[in-house]
Amino acid sequence: DTAGAPAPGSHSAFRGGPLEHWDDEMRDLLLRVEGSERDGAAGIWRDALAAPHTGPATWFHGDVSTHNLLVRNGELSAVIDFGCSGVGDTACDTVIVWTHLHGAARGVYRRELAVDDATWARRRGWAIWKALIMLDSRWPAQLALARRVLERLLDER
């Protein structure tokens, strides 16, 4: 039941809401890459903006990462940390596809999730936004992750 649930807002960094909220920031973030990387990232963002969420608002977690997934015996056993949760567009919940799934696993994930092209475009938009934010990290591991995500997203075009 979604009655009384919070809409996307500051508690969720507007995850679950329209990507247009981040469009001004993306203009600056795109300056962190050059040449074909910038062109590709800008194209992913344009595609995401051109695919607005038109379905019903549903629950989103807002911070699906390996830090919030508990695994027991190789299987997902729990999801924790619902501080960013709300009701909106779940496209924000799949950045993990590019941060931690490798090769064919990303295709299997998409196929099994059975989402339309517009939803997938918004998911890629969230992922490119996050990758470009992390490119400014002072932590080498996070910077390396941002580069991998950017590479994976651009390889899919």
Side-chain angles (χ1 to χ4, degrees), residues 1-18 21 53 56-62 82-90 92 126:
D1 184 10
T2 59
S10 58
H11 81 284
S12 69
F14 292 91
R15 293 176 190 130
H21 179 85
H53 181 245
T58 55
W59 280 101
F60 63 86
H61 182 274
F82 289 85
C84 291
S85 295
V87 173
D89 180 8
T90 61
C92 63
W126 281 108

Side-chain angles (χ1 to χ4, degrees), residues 121-133:
R122 290 191 313 280
R123 290 166 184 226
R124 289 172 47 80
W126 281 108
I128 201 73
W129 171 75
K130 183 67 173 181
L132 293 178
I133 286 172

Side-chain angles (χ1 to χ4, degrees), residues 7 12 19 36 94 99 104 111 152:
S12 69
L19 284 165
S36 63
T94 57
T99 58
R111 186 176 58 251
R152 289 171 181 169

Side-chain angles (χ1 to χ4, degrees), residues 22-33 38 132:
W22 298 109
D23 197 33
D24 289 340
E25 179 183 45
M26 277 298 289
R27 290 179 225 277
D28 293 332
L29 292 174
L30 285 166
L31 298 176
R32 293 181 177 177
V33 291
R38 184 181 296 165
L132 293 178

